[in-house]
Amino acid sequence: MAKHKKPNRPPRSGARSGPRSDFETGRSDPSHRADRTRGPRGTEDGESEALRRVLNTNNQLLYGAHACLAAIANPERDIHRIVLATQSADELEVPVCDAANAVFAECQVTRPKIEWRDRREINDLLPRDAVHQGICIDTKPLPHPVLEDIIDDAQGLPSACIVVLDQATDPRNIGAVMRTAAAFGAMAVVVQDKHAPDITGALAKAASGAVERLPYIKVTNLARTLDQLKAAEFWCVGFDGQAQDYLSGKTLQGRNAIVLGAEGAGLRRLTRETCDLLVKIPISDAVESLNLSNAAAIALFQFAQSNS
């Protein structure tokens, strides 16, 4: 099989000039592709065992098309391996090559050659319920952002939004909130370090690429963080089902911290007391409450509408 390379293309608008990487897929050698009719390769050649050891001690395994493509295109990511299922070649090979070539054209960041494996070999790497869509990558975690940098970036902006999650622990819920927050232009998602998860494969998959574009900030004390945001002229609005006031078009004008509690538990007492204002989303009596990601979507949509 002839070596497959992406054809040269003109740099995208704003891309830096200079050498271009023709990202190779590693398919020139037929052994890179597992036989589609076979099960996982045996351990006689060591490949399956090596694949199971894909993670270094401090690395993480991301999976899912949107999450992995966004990571490949992110110059801040240090990626060690890109593993694709042979069964997904038609859907994923070109997007992976495009993402790798784009990040090289813009930032001279290179990516490793694609490794081809049977889908069932990738299944063995991941949690049982992981929907990997035929792709996973071995990558170092992103640098840890800090709240002070976000506050500095917000200086002088007429409107800005930071999402603060109190007691949120489910990575899929947090990932869904991050996806919505990125869609509506939030500057960061803040969680409490003690209870919230790190960025994992499940969280990144639910975020659908948002973890590459939106800072995920872990803090020790949420009440102290809200005080810090107040000092930076953010209006801290807590969403609480027992609040007296309803969310309205004027609630989230300007610079806001949208403070949301976990499903069931809601906001803790100290968090509620530290907020400038408590509001609730008007819903019918047919349901007791909205889930976290839905409440975040409504709040963020209202923020975008109020500041458009």
Side-chain angles (χ1 to χ4, degrees):
M1 181 184 295
K3 180 178 288 187
H4 176 84
K5 292 186 177 183
K6 291 295 297 171
N8 287 334
R9 295 186 179 89
R12 296 192 299 183
S13 175
R16 294 193 296 181
S17 60
R20 180 173 184 81
S21 167
D22 280 329
F23 179 72
E24 300 182 8
T25 68
R27 292 170 63 189
S28 55
D29 181 354
S31 67
H32 283 294
R33 296 191 99 185
D35 188 336
R36 296 191 186 201
T37 63
R38 292 169 54 192
R41 298 182 182 182
T43 57
E44 62 275 7
D45 60 3
E47 285 198 5
S48 289
E49 184 61 28
L51 195 60
R52 292 188 184 96
R53 295 197 302 267
V54 66
L55 281 178
N56 294 325
T57 304
N58 296 320
N59 282 13
Q60 59 185 194
L61 200 63
L62 303 184
Y63 56 86
H66 290 298
C68 290
L69 289 173
I72 292 168
N74 182 4
E76 297 298 318
R77 280 284 186 185
D78 184 1
I79 296 175
H80 296 279
R81 301 180 75 177
I82 301 173
V83 183
L84 295 186
T86 56
Q87 296 90 335
S88 300
D90 292 342
E91 296 83 13
L92 291 175
E93 182 177 10
V94 170
V96 167
C97 290
D98 283 344
N101 283 339
V103 75
F104 181 84
E106 295 181 7
C107 304
Q108 274 64 63
V109 173
T110 59
R111 295 307 187 204
K113 183 171 61 177
I114 292 173
E115 300 178 35
W116 296 94
R117 297 289 184 268
D118 188 271
R119 179 179 292 272
R120 283 172 288 184
E121 290 184 271
I122 299 178
N123 291 344
D124 290 342
L125 287 174
L126 302 172
R128 185 175 298 273
D129 60 344
V131 182
H132 57 73
Q133 298 173 301
I135 182 171
C136 67
I137 61 173
D138 173 26
T139 176
K140 286 187 176 180
L142 289 169
H144 293 291
V146 294
L147 185 63
E148 289 76 11
D149 289 341
I150 307 303
I151 290 175
D152 288 344
D153 291 341
Q155 292 297 319
L157 296 179
S159 65
C161 178
I162 293 174
V163 178
V164 179
L165 303 181
D166 185 18
Q167 299 192 95
T169 58
D170 184 88
R172 291 178 177 84
N173 271 343
I174 296 173
V177 171
M178 291 190 71
R179 181 178 185 178
T180 303
F184 286 106
M187 298 188 70
V189 170
V190 177
V191 296
Q192 187 180 18
D193 181 55
K194 185 177 180 180
H195 300 293
D198 292 326
I199 292 178
T200 62
L203 192 155
K205 173 71 164 54
S208 194
V211 297
E212 310 302 326
R213 298 183 288 273
L214 186 71
Y216 178 66
I217 300 173
K218 303 184 81 172
V219 298
T220 302
N221 188 297
L222 275 187
R224 192 180 306 134
T225 296
L226 294 179
D227 285 333
Q228 187 178 358
L229 288 170
K230 289 180 183 181
E233 299 181 345
F234 278 80
W235 184 250
C236 296
V237 181
F239 284 72
D240 188 282
Q242 305 304 313
Q244 299 299 311
D245 296 319
Y246 285 104
L247 175 66
S248 72
K250 296 182 179 180
T251 305
L252 298 174
Q253 291 178 336
R255 295 145 62 90
N256 295 271
I258 293 175
V259 188
L260 299 161
E263 296 174 30
L267 298 176
R268 290 173 297 170
R269 178 188 60 80
L270 186 56
T271 304
R272 287 198 306 270
E273 293 175 355
T274 310
C275 288
D276 293 304
L277 175 67
L278 295 177
V279 298
K280 59 184 176 182
I281 297 170
I283 58 175
S284 74
D285 295 334
V287 294
E288 183 177 347
S289 63
L290 297 172
N291 66 32
L292 176 60
S293 60
N294 285 343
I298 292 170
L300 286 159
F301 175 77
Q302 184 62 71
F303 166 78
Q305 288 293 101
S306 299
N307 295 282
S308 60

mmCIF file with all atom_site columns, all heavy atoms in Angstrom, residues 107-123:
data_model
loop_
_atom_site.group_PDB
_atom_site.id
_atom_site.type_symbol
_atom_site.label_atom_id
_atom_site.label_alt_id
_atom_site.label_comp_id
_atom_site.label_asym_id
_atom_site.label_entity_id
_atom_site.label_seq_id
_atom_site.pdbx_PDB_ins_code
_atom_site.Cartn_x
_atom_site.Cartn_y
_atom_site.Cartn_z
_atom_site.occupancy
_atom_site.B_iso_or_equiv
_atom_site.pdbx_formal_charge
_atom_site.auth_seq_id
_atom_site.auth_comp_id
_atom_site.auth_asym_id
_atom_site.auth_atom_id
_atom_site.pdbx_PDB_model_num
ATOM 1   N N   . CYS A 1 107 ? 1.264   26.518 14.359 1.00 0.00 ? 107 CYS A N   1
ATOM 2   C CA  . CYS A 1 107 ? 2.145   26.620 15.541 1.00 0.00 ? 107 CYS A CA  1
ATOM 3   C C   . CYS A 1 107 ? 3.386   25.742 15.467 1.00 0.00 ? 107 CYS A C   1
ATOM 4   O O   . CYS A 1 107 ? 4.142   25.676 16.441 1.00 0.00 ? 107 CYS A O   1
ATOM 5   C CB  . CYS A 1 107 ? 1.348   26.256 16.804 1.00 0.00 ? 107 CYS A CB  1
ATOM 6   S SG  . CYS A 1 107 ? -0.136  27.234 17.050 1.00 0.00 ? 107 CYS A SG  1
ATOM 7   N N   . GLN A 1 108 ? 3.609   25.047 14.355 1.00 0.00 ? 108 GLN A N   1
ATOM 8   C CA  . GLN A 1 108 ? 4.735   24.127 14.215 1.00 0.00 ? 108 GLN A CA  1
ATOM 9   C C   . GLN A 1 108 ? 4.751   23.036 15.296 1.00 0.00 ? 108 GLN A C   1
ATOM 10  O O   . GLN A 1 108 ? 5.815   22.582 15.731 1.00 0.00 ? 108 GLN A O   1
ATOM 11  C CB  . GLN A 1 108 ? 6.071   24.885 14.219 1.00 0.00 ? 108 GLN A CB  1
ATOM 12  C CG  . GLN A 1 108 ? 6.483   25.389 12.837 1.00 0.00 ? 108 GLN A CG  1
ATOM 13  C CD  . GLN A 1 108 ? 5.530   26.423 12.278 1.00 0.00 ? 108 GLN A CD  1
ATOM 14  O OE1 . GLN A 1 108 ? 5.381   27.493 12.861 1.00 0.00 ? 108 GLN A OE1 1
ATOM 15  N NE2 . GLN A 1 108 ? 4.887   26.125 11.167 1.00 0.00 ? 108 GLN A NE2 1
ATOM 16  N N   . VAL A 1 109 ? 3.577   22.622 15.740 1.00 0.00 ? 109 VAL A N   1
ATOM 17  C CA  . VAL A 1 109 ? 3.446   21.525 16.698 1.00 0.00 ? 109 VAL A CA  1
ATOM 18  C C   . VAL A 1 109 ? 3.185   20.248 15.914 1.00 0.00 ? 109 VAL A C   1
ATOM 19  O O   . VAL A 1 109 ? 2.260   20.192 15.102 1.00 0.00 ? 109 VAL A O   1
ATOM 20  C CB  . VAL A 1 109 ? 2.294   21.788 17.686 1.00 0.00 ? 109 VAL A CB  1
ATOM 21  C CG1 . VAL A 1 109 ? 2.055   20.566 18.570 1.00 0.00 ? 109 VAL A CG1 1
ATOM 22  C CG2 . VAL A 1 109 ? 2.601   23.006 18.540 1.00 0.00 ? 109 VAL A CG2 1
ATOM 23  N N   . THR A 1 110 ? 4.007   19.222 16.126 1.00 0.00 ? 110 THR A N   1
ATOM 24  C CA  . THR A 1 110 ? 3.862   17.971 15.390 1.00 0.00 ? 110 THR A CA  1
ATOM 25  C C   . THR A 1 110 ? 3.081   16.957 16.208 1.00 0.00 ? 110 THR A C   1
ATOM 26  O O   . THR A 1 110 ? 3.046   17.017 17.443 1.00 0.00 ? 110 THR A O   1
ATOM 27  C CB  . THR A 1 110 ? 5.230   17.376 15.030 1.00 0.00 ? 110 THR A CB  1
ATOM 28  O OG1 . THR A 1 110 ? 5.970   17.142 16.239 1.00 0.00 ? 110 THR A OG1 1
ATOM 29  C CG2 . THR A 1 110 ? 6.013   18.323 14.136 1.00 0.00 ? 110 THR A CG2 1
ATOM 30  N N   . ARG A 1 111 ? 2.471   16.014 15.514 1.00 0.00 ? 111 ARG A N   1
ATOM 31  C CA  . ARG A 1 111 ? 1.688   14.948 16.151 1.00 0.00 ? 111 ARG A CA  1
ATOM 32  C C   . ARG A 1 111 ? 2.253   13.580 15.763 1.00 0.00 ? 111 ARG A C   1
ATOM 33  O O   . ARG A 1 111 ? 2.802   13.419 14.678 1.00 0.00 ? 111 ARG A O   1
ATOM 34  C CB  . ARG A 1 111 ? 0.220   15.032 15.714 1.00 0.00 ? 111 ARG A CB  1
ATOM 35  C CG  . ARG A 1 111 ? -0.506  16.296 16.184 1.00 0.00 ? 111 ARG A CG  1
ATOM 36  C CD  . ARG A 1 111 ? -0.373  16.487 17.669 1.00 0.00 ? 111 ARG A CD  1
ATOM 37  N NE  . ARG A 1 111 ? -1.181  17.597 18.200 1.00 0.00 ? 111 ARG A NE  1
ATOM 38  C CZ  . ARG A 1 111 ? -0.904  18.231 19.320 1.00 0.00 ? 111 ARG A CZ  1
ATOM 39  N NH1 . ARG A 1 111 ? 0.170   17.898 20.024 1.00 0.00 ? 111 ARG A NH1 1
ATOM 40  N NH2 . ARG A 1 111 ? -1.679  19.206 19.747 1.00 0.00 ? 111 ARG A NH2 1
ATOM 41  N N   . PRO A 1 112 ? 2.102   12.590 16.657 1.00 0.00 ? 112 PRO A N   1
ATOM 42  C CA  . PRO A 1 112 ? 2.598   11.247 16.328 1.00 0.00 ? 112 PRO A CA  1
ATOM 43  C C   . PRO A 1 112 ? 1.771   10.603 15.223 1.00 0.00 ? 112 PRO A C   1
ATOM 44  O O   . PRO A 1 112 ? 0.630   10.970 14.978 1.00 0.00 ? 112 PRO A O   1
ATOM 45  C CB  . PRO A 1 112 ? 2.432   10.484 17.653 1.00 0.00 ? 112 PRO A CB  1
ATOM 46  C CG  . PRO A 1 112 ? 1.348   11.205 18.373 1.00 0.00 ? 112 PRO A CG  1
ATOM 47  C CD  . PRO A 1 112 ? 1.487   12.656 17.998 1.00 0.00 ? 112 PRO A CD  1
ATOM 48  N N   . LYS A 1 113 ? 2.403   9.646  14.565 1.00 0.00 ? 113 LYS A N   1
ATOM 49  C CA  . LYS A 1 113 ? 1.744   8.904  13.497 1.00 0.00 ? 113 LYS A CA  1
ATOM 50  C C   . LYS A 1 113 ? 0.573   8.091  14.055 1.00 0.00 ? 113 LYS A C   1
ATOM 51  O O   . LYS A 1 113 ? 0.610   7.594  15.182 1.00 0.00 ? 113 LYS A O   1
ATOM 52  C CB  . LYS A 1 113 ? 2.771   7.977  12.852 1.00 0.00 ? 113 LYS A CB  1
ATOM 53  C CG  . LYS A 1 113 ? 2.289   7.168  11.680 1.00 0.00 ? 113 LYS A CG  1
ATOM 54  C CD  . LYS A 1 113 ? 3.458   6.461  11.007 1.00 0.00 ? 113 LYS A CD  1
ATOM 55  C CE  . LYS A 1 113 ? 4.160   5.508  11.945 1.00 0.00 ? 113 LYS A CE  1
ATOM 56  N NZ  . LYS A 1 113 ? 5.251   4.777  11.255 1.00 0.00 ? 113 LYS A NZ  1
ATOM 57  N N   . ILE A 1 114 ? -0.485  7.977  13.277 1.00 0.00 ? 114 ILE A N   1
ATOM 58  C CA  . ILE A 1 114 ? -1.650  7.194  13.695 1.00 0.00 ? 114 ILE A CA  1
ATOM 59  C C   . ILE A 1 114 ? -1.263  5.731  13.867 1.00 0.00 ? 114 ILE A C   1
ATOM 60  O O   . ILE A 1 114 ? -0.533  5.159  13.049 1.00 0.00 ? 114 ILE A O   1
ATOM 61  C CB  . ILE A 1 114 ? -2.779  7.295  12.653 1.00 0.00 ? 114 ILE A CB  1
ATOM 62  C CG1 . ILE A 1 114 ? -3.367  8.708  12.620 1.00 0.00 ? 114 ILE A CG1 1
ATOM 63  C CG2 . ILE A 1 114 ? -3.896  6.289  12.958 1.00 0.00 ? 114 ILE A CG2 1
ATOM 64  C CD1 . ILE A 1 114 ? -4.371  8.923  11.506 1.00 0.00 ? 114 ILE A CD1 1
ATOM 65  N N   . GLU A 1 115 ? -1.748  5.118  14.940 1.00 0.00 ? 115 GLU A N   1
ATOM 66  C CA  . GLU A 1 115 ? -1.617  3.680  15.139 1.00 0.00 ? 115 GLU A CA  1
ATOM 67  C C   . GLU A 1 115 ? -2.977  3.039  14.887 1.00 0.00 ? 115 GLU A C   1
ATOM 68  O O   . GLU A 1 115 ? -3.980  3.462  15.449 1.00 0.00 ? 115 GLU A O   1
ATOM 69  C CB  . GLU A 1 115 ? -1.150  3.372  16.565 1.00 0.00 ? 115 GLU A CB  1
ATOM 70  C CG  . GLU A 1 115 ? 0.194   3.990  16.913 1.00 0.00 ? 115 GLU A CG  1
ATOM 71  C CD  . GLU A 1 115 ? 0.588   3.689  18.347 1.00 0.00 ? 115 GLU A CD  1
ATOM 72  O OE1 . GLU A 1 115 ? 0.277   2.580  18.825 1.00 0.00 ? 115 GLU A OE1 1
ATOM 73  O OE2 . GLU A 1 115 ? 1.172   4.575  18.996 1.00 0.00 ? 115 GLU A OE2 1
ATOM 74  N N   . TRP A 1 116 ? -2.978  1.995  14.071 1.00 0.00 ? 116 TRP A N   1
ATOM 75  C CA  . TRP A 1 116 ? -4.236  1.336  13.705 1.00 0.00 ? 116 TRP A CA  1
ATOM 76  C C   . TRP A 1 116 ? -4.406  0.059  14.510 1.00 0.00 ? 116 TRP A C   1
ATOM 77  O O   . TRP A 1 116 ? -3.494  -0.761 14.584 1.00 0.00 ? 116 TRP A O   1
ATOM 78  C CB  . TRP A 1 116 ? -4.249  1.013  12.205 1.00 0.00 ? 116 TRP A CB  1
ATOM 79  C CG  . TRP A 1 116 ? -4.222  2.238  11.353 1.00 0.00 ? 116 TRP A CG  1
ATOM 80  C CD1 . TRP A 1 116 ? -3.136  2.846  10.806 1.00 0.00 ? 116 TRP A CD1 1
ATOM 81  C CD2 . TRP A 1 116 ? -5.347  3.031  10.993 1.00 0.00 ? 116 TRP A CD2 1
ATOM 82  N NE1 . TRP A 1 116 ? -3.511  3.968  10.111 1.00 0.00 ? 116 TRP A NE1 1
ATOM 83  C CE2 . TRP A 1 116 ? -4.857  4.105  10.202 1.00 0.00 ? 116 TRP A CE2 1
ATOM 84  C CE3 . TRP A 1 116 ? -6.726  2.941  11.243 1.00 0.00 ? 116 TRP A CE3 1
ATOM 85  C CZ2 . TRP A 1 116 ? -5.694  5.072  9.672  1.00 0.00 ? 116 TRP A CZ2 1
ATOM 86  C CZ3 . TRP A 1 116 ? -7.548  3.909  10.715 1.00 0.00 ? 116 TRP A CZ3 1
ATOM 87  C CH2 . TRP A 1 116 ? -7.049  4.961  9.935  1.00 0.00 ? 116 TRP A CH2 1
ATOM 88  N N   . ARG A 1 117 ? -5.570  -0.088 15.134 1.00 0.00 ? 117 ARG A N   1
ATOM 89  C CA  . ARG A 1 117 ? -5.876  -1.262 15.936 1.00 0.00 ? 117 ARG A CA  1
ATOM 90  C C   . ARG A 1 117 ? -7.324  -1.682 15.697 1.00 0.00 ? 117 ARG A C   1
ATOM 91  O O   . ARG A 1 117 ? -8.159  -0.890 15.251 1.00 0.00 ? 117 ARG A O   1
ATOM 92  C CB  . ARG A 1 117 ? -5.680  -0.978 17.442 1.00 0.00 ? 117 ARG A CB  1
ATOM 93  C CG  . ARG A 1 117 ? -4.249  -0.643 17.841 1.00 0.00 ? 117 ARG A CG  1
ATOM 94  C CD  . ARG A 1 117 ? -3.355  -1.869 17.753 1.00 0.00 ? 117 ARG A CD  1
ATOM 95  N NE  . ARG A 1 117 ? -1.999  -1.587 18.231 1.00 0.00 ? 117 ARG A NE  1
ATOM 96  C CZ  . ARG A 1 117 ? -0.998  -1.189 17.481 1.00 0.00 ? 117 ARG A CZ  1
ATOM 97  N NH1 . ARG A 1 117 ? -1.198  -0.993 16.184 1.00 0.00 ? 117 ARG A NH1 1
ATOM 98  N NH2 . ARG A 1 117 ? 0.191   -0.974 17.990 1.00 0.00 ? 117 ARG A NH2 1
ATOM 99  N N   . ASP A 1 118 ? -7.601  -2.922 16.027 1.00 0.00 ? 118 ASP A N   1
ATOM 100 C CA  . ASP A 1 118 ? -8.986  -3.390 15.976 1.00 0.00 ? 118 ASP A CA  1
ATOM 101 C C   . ASP A 1 118 ? -9.803  -2.680 17.061 1.00 0.00 ? 118 ASP A C   1
ATOM 102 O O   . ASP A 1 118 ? -9.285  -2.366 18.140 1.00 0.00 ? 118 ASP A O   1
ATOM 103 C CB  . ASP A 1 118 ? -9.037  -4.900 16.195 1.00 0.00 ? 118 ASP A CB  1
ATOM 104 C CG  . ASP A 1 118 ? -10.426 -5.470 15.968 1.00 0.00 ? 118 ASP A CG  1
ATOM 105 O OD1 . ASP A 1 118 ? -11.212 -5.501 16.943 1.00 0.00 ? 118 ASP A OD1 1
ATOM 106 O OD2 . ASP A 1 118 ? -10.718 -5.851 14.831 1.00 0.00 ? 118 ASP A OD2 1
ATOM 107 N N   . ARG A 1 119 ? -11.060 -2.444 16.772 1.00 0.00 ? 119 ARG A N   1
ATOM 108 C CA  . ARG A 1 119 ? -11.924 -1.729 17.718 1.00 0.00 ? 119 ARG A CA  1
ATOM 109 C C   . ARG A 1 119 ? -11.946 -2.408 19.083 1.00 0.00 ? 119 ARG A C   1
ATOM 110 O O   . ARG A 1 119 ? -11.984 -1.742 20.121 1.00 0.00 ? 119 ARG A O   1
ATOM 111 C CB  . ARG A 1 119 ? -13.344 -1.641 17.150 1.00 0.00 ? 119 ARG A CB  1
ATOM 112 C CG  . ARG A 1 119 ? -14.335 -0.937 18.073 1.00 0.00 ? 119 ARG A CG  1
ATOM 113 C CD  . ARG A 1 119 ? -15.708 -0.870 17.426 1.00 0.00 ? 119 ARG A CD  1
ATOM 114 N NE  . ARG A 1 119 ? -15.702 0.020  16.274 1.00 0.00 ? 119 ARG A NE  1
ATOM 115 C CZ  . ARG A 1 119 ? -15.924 1.330  16.355 1.00 0.00 ? 119 ARG A CZ  1
ATOM 116 N NH1 . ARG A 1 119 ? -16.167 1.901  17.525 1.00 0.00 ? 119 ARG A NH1 1
ATOM 117 N NH2 . ARG A 1 119 ? -15.915 2.070  15.267 1.00 0.00 ? 119 ARG A NH2 1
ATOM 118 N N   . ARG A 1 120 ? -11.904 -3.727 19.091 1.00 0.00 ? 120 ARG A N   1
ATOM 119 C CA  . ARG A 1 120 ? -11.980 -4.431 20.376 1.00 0.00 ? 120 ARG A CA  1
ATOM 120 C C   . ARG A 1 120 ? -10.718 -4.234 21.212 1.00 0.00 ? 120 ARG A C   1
ATOM 121 O O   . ARG A 1 120 ? -10.767 -4.310 22.438 1.00 0.00 ? 120 ARG A O   1
ATOM 122 C CB  . ARG A 1 120 ? -12.268 -5.914 20.125 1.00 0.00 ? 120 ARG A CB  1
ATOM 123 C CG  . ARG A 1 120 ? -13.731 -6.170 19.765 1.00 0.00 ? 120 ARG A CG  1
ATOM 124 C CD  . ARG A 1 120 ? -13.975 -7.591 19.342 1.00 0.00 ? 120 ARG A CD  1
ATOM 125 N NE  . ARG A 1 120 ? -13.405 -7.842 18.019 1.00 0.00 ? 120 ARG A NE  1
ATOM 126 C CZ  . ARG A 1 120 ? -13.544 -8.994 17.366 1.00 0.00 ? 120 ARG A CZ  1
ATOM 127 N NH1 . ARG A 1 120 ? -14.215 -9.994 17.929 1.00 0.00 ? 120 ARG A NH1 1
ATOM 128 N NH2 . ARG A 1 120 ? -13.018 -9.152 16.166 1.00 0.00 ? 120 ARG A NH2 1
ATOM 129 N N   . GLU A 1 121 ? -9.599  -3.977 20.567 1.00 0.00 ? 121 GLU A N   1
ATOM 130 C CA  . GLU A 1 121 ? -8.388  -3.652 21.332 1.00 0.00 ? 121 GLU A CA  1
ATOM 131 C C   . GLU A 1 121 ? -8.547  -2.306 22.049 1.00 0.00 ? 121 GLU A C   1
ATOM 132 O O   . GLU A 1 121 ? -8.092  -2.136 23.178 1.00 0.00 ? 121 GLU A O   1
ATOM 133 C CB  . GLU A 1 121 ? -7.184  -3.604 20.400 1.00 0.00 ? 121 GLU A CB  1
ATOM 134 C CG  . GLU A 1 121 ? -6.765  -4.953 19.861 1.00 0.00 ? 121 GLU A CG  1
ATOM 135 C CD  . GLU A 1 121 ? -5.513  -4.849 19.028 1.00 0.00 ? 121 GLU A CD  1
ATOM 136 O OE1 . GLU A 1 121 ? -5.637  -4.617 17.820 1.00 0.00 ? 121 GLU A OE1 1
ATOM 137 O OE2 . GLU A 1 121 ? -4.408  -4.985 19.595 1.00 0.00 ? 121 GLU A OE2 1
ATOM 138 N N   . ILE A 1 122 ? -9.189  -1.349 21.381 1.00 0.00 ? 122 ILE A N   1
ATOM 139 C CA  . ILE A 1 122 ? -9.440  -0.059 22.024 1.00 0.00 ? 122 ILE A CA  1
ATOM 140 C C   . ILE A 1 122 ? -10.444 -0.226 23.160 1.00 0.00 ? 122 ILE A C   1
ATOM 141 O O   . ILE A 1 122 ? -10.311 0.406  24.213 1.00 0.00 ? 122 ILE A O   1
ATOM 142 C CB  . ILE A 1 122 ? -9.926  0.972  20.988 1.00 0.00 ? 122 ILE A CB  1
ATOM 143 C CG1 . ILE A 1 122 ? -8.855  1.193  19.920 1.00 0.00 ? 122 ILE A CG1 1
ATOM 144 C CG2 . ILE A 1 122 ? -10.276 2.289  21.657 1.00 0.00 ? 122 ILE A CG2 1
ATOM 145 C CD1 . ILE A 1 122 ? -9.239  2.159  18.826 1.00 0.00 ? 122 ILE A CD1 1
ATOM 146 N N   . ASN A 1 123 ? -11.445 -1.086 22.956 1.00 0.00 ? 123 ASN A N   1
ATOM 147 C CA  . ASN A 1 123 ? -12.404 -1.356 24.032 1.00 0.00 ? 123 ASN A CA  1
ATOM 148 C C   . ASN A 1 123 ? -11.701 -1.789 25.311 1.00 0.00 ? 123 ASN A C   1
ATOM 149 O O   . ASN A 1 123 ? -12.092 -1.403 26.416 1.00 0.00 ? 123 ASN A O   1
ATOM 150 C CB  . ASN A 1 123 ? -13.383 -2.462 23.619 1.00 0.00 ? 123 ASN A CB  1
ATOM 151 C CG  . ASN A 1 123 ? -14.344 -2.036 22.535 1.00 0.00 ? 123 ASN A CG  1
ATOM 152 O OD1 . ASN A 1 123 ? -14.502 -0.850 22.261 1.00 0.00 ? 123 ASN A OD1 1
ATOM 153 N ND2 . ASN A 1 123 ? -14.993 -2.999 21.901 1.00 0.00 ? 123 ASN A ND2 1
#
